[in-house]
Amino acid sequence: MEKRYRVCTVQSHVVSGYCGNKAATFPMQLLGFDVDILNTVEFSNHTGFPVFTGKRTPPEEIKTLIDGLNKNGLTKAWTHVLTGYIGLPETLSIIKNAVESLKEQKPDLIWVCDPVMGDNGQLYVPEAVIPLYRSMIGVADLITPNLFEAEIITDIKITSLATAKQAMAKMHYLGCPNVLITSMSLPAKDIPNGLIAEDNIMYCMGSTLLPGNAGVLKQPTQFLISFPRYSGYFTGTGDVLAAVLTARYQHALDAPASHTSETPLLTATLAAIKTLNAIIKRTFDYQQIHVSPKEIFQINSPDRLSRPASAVHRCELHIIQSKDAIDTPPDTSLVQYALV
C-alpha cells in the first residue's frame, strides 16, 4: 500500500498573503501530505504591512485544541510535526510537552523545528523562549534556524566556516541529528571550489550526525549550498523552505539507498532550495514590473507605518503560481553544493 503521511503544522496564520501556515500548507499538500493546521496567531496580514490586526491564540486555547485532538485519537495519525512561529513561552512549553508525549508513543514521528525567534540581529519573541528552544533541540529530528537564531541557541558568533561548524557541533551536542542553518554569509576565503563567491550569493549549511559504532567518535556529514540573493522584498521564505524541506526529507528517506555521498538532509535541502529559488525568482520578476524602485525603498524602511500597503501586497510570494516548481524542483546551475 502507498505510504500516507500527515503533518501537524503549528505556526502563525494570516487571512491575506503568504507566511506561516498560509505559506506552508499548499506546498506540503502538493507534495503528498495531509495537513492538520494549528494556528498560533490569527492576523489580518503579515506584520510587514503598516497595519495588522488580530490576536495571538491564547495558550489555554492551544491546550484545549490539543486535548480535543488527543481525546479523539487524531494525534495518532500524525507522522510529522512542523513547528514555526509560536511566540509565547507558555504556548511553546505546551507544544514541547505535546510533541514529547507523542514521540514517546510514536518514536518514528519526525519533528521539524523552525525556531523562529528573530533575524538580522533583532529578537522578536520574549527572551524566555530561548532556553525552551535549547531544551527542545534534543527532541527534534531536524532544526532549521537562520544565522541569528543559530547564534542565539549556541552562544557562538558565526563569522566563518569554522565558527559555523562549531555552532553545528553545539546543536548536535544538544541532541538534534540534523541541523540546517538556512541563510548565512561567509568570507570568500571560506567558500569551497565550485561554489560561487559573490556579493549576490547566499549560503545555507547543513549537518547530519550519522550513528556510529559503540566507542567510535561520530563525525558529521556537512555541506554548503550556494543560491542567489534577489534585491526585492520577500516575506514567508523561511516558512516555505521548512515546509518543502519537511516533505522532501521524508521523500529522501523513502528513496532507495544511494551510493552517493548525499545524506537525506542534503538531498532534501537541494530540492527545497531549488524550489524556493524558483518561487523567489518568479516573485522578483513580478516585482520588477509591478513595484517601483521607490516603493521597494519605502517597503524596506524600518518605519513600518510609512510603507505603502498596496506595494507590500504586490510583493507577496507567488506560491500558487509556482506549483510546477514545488512539484518538480527546476534543475538550475544557480544552486550548487559542496561537502565541507
Side-chain angles (χ1 to χ4, degrees):
M1 293 180 62
E2 180 184 3
K3 292 183 179 179
R4 296 190 62 177
Y5 298 111
R6 180 176 291 273
V7 57
C8 176
T9 174
V10 186
Q11 314 190 49
S12 60
H13 171 76
V14 291
V15 175
S16 176
Y18 293 99
C19 68
N21 276 330
K22 278 288 290 292
T25 301
F26 177 71
M28 289 192 290
Q29 288 175 327
L30 193 59
L31 291 170
F33 277 56
D34 289 309
V35 181
D36 290 347
I37 301 164
L38 184 54
N39 296 322
T40 56
V41 306
E42 177 86 15
F43 286 165
S44 55
N45 41 262
H46 69 69
T47 57
F49 279 81
V51 173
F52 65 93
T53 58
K55 65 176 183 178
R56 300 177 186 273
T57 308
E60 58 273 18
E61 187 172 321
I62 295 286
K63 188 176 186 307
T64 297
L65 291 170
I66 293 174
D67 287 345
L69 292 163
N70 277 326
K71 288 175 181 177
N72 285 307
L74 298 175
T75 58
K76 295 178 181 178
W78 294 345
T79 56
H80 298 71
V81 173
L82 169 62
T83 53
Y85 179 79
I86 294 174
L88 296 176
E90 298 85 358
T91 302
L92 188 59
S93 182
I94 290 168
I95 298 300
K96 174 180 180 287
N97 292 338
V99 177
E100 284 179 337
S101 176
L102 195 58
K103 282 184 74 71
E104 287 178 3
Q105 304 167 43
K106 299 182 63 173
D108 58 344
L109 177 88
I110 293 176
W111 180 13
V112 179
C113 175
D114 185 5
V116 181
M117 291 183 283
D119 202 2
N120 298 317
Q122 181 180 358
L123 193 71
Y124 42 67
V125 295
E127 290 190 6
V129 307
I130 298 173
L132 277 171
Y133 271 121
R134 287 181 182 143
S135 69
M136 291 163 70
I137 290 177
V139 186
D141 299 278
L142 169 56
I143 185 170
T144 62
N146 60 31
L147 177 69
F148 177 63
E149 291 158 350
E151 291 178 337
I152 290 175
I153 290 170
T154 62
D155 280 330
I156 295 172
K157 185 68 176 175
I158 301 173
T159 58
S160 64
L161 190 60
T163 49
K165 284 175 172 283
Q166 291 172 15
M168 294 284 193
K170 178 73 173 287
M171 286 183 274
H172 285 318
Y173 175 78
L174 290 171
C176 189
N178 295 285
V179 178
L180 181 71
I181 300 178
T182 58
S183 58
M184 57 195 296
S185 298
L186 289 172
K189 64 180 179 61
D190 285 355
I191 307 304
N193 292 334
L195 294 190
I196 303 171
E198 297 178 0
D199 290 342
N200 64 337
I201 296 296
M202 292 289 291
Y203 304 91
C204 67
M205 184 175 176
S207 183
T208 294
L209 193 61
L210 298 172
N213 296 324
V216 177
L217 183 64
K218 293 182 287 186
Q219 293 296 322
T221 300
Q222 298 181 324
F223 61 84
L224 198 66
I225 295 177
S226 61
F227 55 94
R229 184 209 309 259
Y230 296 95
S231 57
Y233 179 77
F234 312 97
T235 58
T237 54
D239 304 324
V240 173
L241 179 62
V244 176
L245 185 66
T246 298
R248 291 297 182 188
Y249 181 69
Q250 183 60 61
H251 294 173
L253 292 176
D254 289 341
S258 172
H259 296 292
T260 71
S261 56
E262 290 189 12
T263 60
L265 179 61
L266 173 53
T267 300
T269 305
L270 276 171
I273 290 290
K274 288 177 180 178
T275 289
L276 181 62
N277 178 71
I279 293 172
I280 294 176
K281 178 62 166 59
R282 188 186 293 266
T283 306
F284 173 75
D285 289 343
Y286 182 88
Q287 290 179 12
Q288 291 290 99
I289 298 171
H290 298 283
V291 187
S292 71
K294 179 182 178 181
E295 288 175 320
I296 289 292
F297 178 79
Q298 291 173 314
I299 293 170
N300 282 306
S301 164
D303 180 10
R304 179 169 53 83
L305 296 178
S306 69
R307 298 172 186 173
S310 63
V312 177
H313 182 60
R314 279 177 266 131
C315 290
E316 294 281 8
L317 289 178
H318 284 214
I319 295 175
I320 306 303
Q321 296 83 356
S322 302
K323 173 182 177 296
D324 55 340
I326 299 170
D327 191 47
T328 305
D331 192 15
T332 172
S333 61
L334 297 175
V335 176
Q336 304 174 357
Y337 85 92
L339 299 179
V340 293

